[in-house]
Amino acid sequence: MPPTLADIECARQRLAGVARETPLYPTETFSRLSGRQVFLKAENLQRTGSFKIRGAYNTIASLTEDERAAGVVAASAGNHGQAVAWAAREAGIAATIFMPQDAPMAKVEATRSYGGETELVGEGFEEAVAAAAAHVERSGATLVHAFEDERVIAGQGTIGVELAEQVPEVETVLIPIGGGGLAAGITLALKERCPAVRTVGVICQPGYTIADGIAVKHPGELPSSILQRTLDETVQVSDEEISEALVLCVERTKLLVEGAGAVGLAALLAGRISGTGSVAVVLSGGNIDATTLVSVLRHGLTESGRFLAIRLLIPDRPGELLTVLDLVARGRGNVVSVDHHREGRTTSALQTEIELVVSTRDEAHCQELLASISDAGYVVERVGPPS
């Protein structure tokens, strides 16, 4: 059965003093870029780094004594596992978390640090769910599902109650959708508290994606049954759009979000959100692996014209590389890396190929540098230009 507003209010009472009432920040940068007032609901600042603590704690706090004695089990791409491990530790019960083999190590290590026993299985979330179900059959532990549980959805719905109190006149709320538990809970609360608000779900591209936190094949049955009557629209964003939004969020708002947490901002920047009124964006989590963050930042900076990657052939003679580097320096570019390729990339034994990565101001600056190198007589190829 879907939870009610009364269930969400009860969850809020259980979470008092446990889950943070996360701040809602106005953002000048995203307001200017989108042409409308934008607020950021910073669930990336929540305990365990995402909204998941709300549903996990609400569920575990509702267990009977027998269920507590048997322990809990969960399947997770990372954030839910951390939340379940933390909530179980606080309750003094055992937790086993099944995660995909390629789950970000930052999330795996955090889950272990909260006291959860982790097992890495399969390629995706669905395989982890199957392994968790098999463990339930063997052990009698209680499955705390990431979204197919009314108690989890009620816990996530406390965000909707907070939003209704923090910004009651907002026109649109943007919510990431993976399994659908977050969106189901928030939209249930908002439709009761602020029936005029538009709710828009944001999904990522199918397949392998940097938004691993919402990379499920399809939303759950229970959340879907709720969203069919509470969600106004769904839009999709690409990894390139997520990267751009994530970089901008870090640089201009100083809020670190993971890929899944940036999808609402990506949709807003891509112009996929209709209307002209104010927008609240749920930043669902901030648990991004350090290596992924480096890759995303470099990719996002390249896409936005802040990094310029070029390839060119130069005569293999002393001073030629210095000539090219001097062109970049006089154009106020900052060289990040230089690679030489003498084998298999040239048309003559007297040539060498070089690849440069240059830190730049913007796309216009990139074009200026490309023009100056071409005017000097070099045939220059841009590697990975903005789409």
Side-chain angles (χ1 to χ4, degrees):
M1 289 289 292
T4 64
L5 182 60
D7 295 324
I8 295 173
E9 294 287 4
C10 287
R12 194 181 192 192
Q13 293 176 11
R14 291 191 188 97
L15 291 169
V18 177
R20 300 184 176 116
E21 182 170 321
T22 51
L24 188 76
Y25 294 118
T27 164
E28 180 180 347
T29 296
F30 288 100
S31 296
R32 174 175 50 81
L33 291 173
S34 63
R36 56 205 296 187
Q37 189 172 23
V38 179
F39 300 92
L40 306 179
K41 180 62 169 168
E43 283 296 297
N44 57 312
L45 303 180
Q46 185 57 262
R47 271 184 165 162
T48 73
S50 85
F51 71 95
K52 292 285 191 178
I53 191 66
R54 297 173 182 264
Y57 188 89
N58 186 53
T59 302
I60 289 175
S62 306
L63 297 179
T64 66
E65 286 301 320
D66 288 344
E67 289 172 328
R68 291 164 63 91
V72 294
V73 61
S76 171
N79 287 340
H80 179 63
Q82 292 177 67
V84 170
W86 185 91
R89 184 190 68 185
E90 295 301 297
I93 62 179
T96 303
I97 315 297
F98 291 87
M99 307 172 76
Q101 290 175 338
D102 294 328
M105 281 310 299
K107 296 182 178 182
V108 175
E109 291 299 330
T111 302
R112 290 170 179 164
S113 73
Y114 293 135
E117 180 183 338
T118 61
E119 295 195 29
L120 305 183
V121 294
E123 296 184 358
F125 176 73
E126 287 72 20
E127 290 86 348
V129 170
H135 181 82
V136 169
E137 290 295 322
R138 294 192 303 269
S139 67
T142 297
L143 176 65
V144 182
H145 199 285
F147 45 82
E148 292 282 21
D149 191 310
E150 66 274 9
R151 298 166 296 184
V152 168
I153 293 173
Q156 325 303 30
T158 59
I159 298 173
V161 175
E162 290 177 17
L163 281 170
E165 295 173 354
Q166 291 171 321
V167 59
E169 303 302 320
V170 71
E171 180 183 271
T172 305
V173 175
L174 308 184
I175 314 164
I177 292 184
L182 174 65
I186 291 177
T187 56
L188 272 173
L190 287 176
K191 291 307 181 184
E192 291 286 340
R193 288 292 194 91
C194 304
V197 72
R198 284 186 70 248
T199 54
V200 179
V202 187
I203 61 175
C204 61
Q205 65 187 34
Y208 189 68
T209 171
I210 62 172
D212 58 275
I214 56 173
V216 300
K217 292 181 179 178
H218 50 76
E221 292 183 8
L222 178 57
S224 293
S225 69
I226 296 169
L227 293 173
Q228 286 172 2
R229 56 186 173 85
T230 60
L231 190 68
D232 294 299
E233 186 182 359
T234 302
V235 299
Q236 181 174 302
V237 292
S238 68
D239 269 15
E240 287 73 20
E241 291 163 339
I242 297 171
S243 295
E244 180 183 355
L246 193 156
V247 171
L248 195 59
C249 189
V250 170
E251 188 171 43
R252 300 306 297 274
T253 72
K254 314 309 176 191
L255 291 172
L256 177 62
V257 293
E258 60 190 277
V263 296
L265 290 174
L268 191 63
L269 291 177
R272 298 205 176 93
I273 308 303
S274 59
T276 58
S278 58
V279 180
V281 183
V282 178
L283 305 180
S284 57
N287 293 319
I288 186 168
D289 186 83
T291 54
T292 302
L293 176 61
V294 170
S295 297
V296 170
L297 289 175
R298 289 181 67 92
H299 180 74
L301 289 168
T302 302
E303 288 292 314
S304 64
R306 301 282 298 282
F307 273 1
L308 172 64
I310 59 174
R311 179 186 299 132
L312 65 156
L313 293 176
I314 63 173
D316 191 8
R317 61 190 179 202
E320 199 68 34
L321 174 60
L322 180 61
T323 300
V324 175
L325 296 180
D326 185 57
L327 287 169
V328 173
R330 282 190 279 131
R332 310 310 298 171
N334 185 34
V335 176
V336 176
S337 65
V338 181
D339 288 321
H340 281 84
H341 303 287
R342 284 185 168 83
E343 295 81 20
R345 304 283 189 94
T346 64
T347 58
S348 166
L350 301 179
Q351 289 179 320
T352 183
E353 181 188 77
I354 61 170
E355 289 187 2
L356 302 180
V357 177
V358 182
S359 176
T360 52
R361 294 188 298 270
D362 51 28
E363 180 58 26
H365 190 201
C366 291
Q367 294 301 324
E368 292 172 8
L369 288 172
L370 289 168
S372 69
I373 296 171
S374 296
D375 291 345
Y378 297 100
V379 178
V380 59
E381 175 190 358
R382 188 170 185 173
V383 181
S387 54

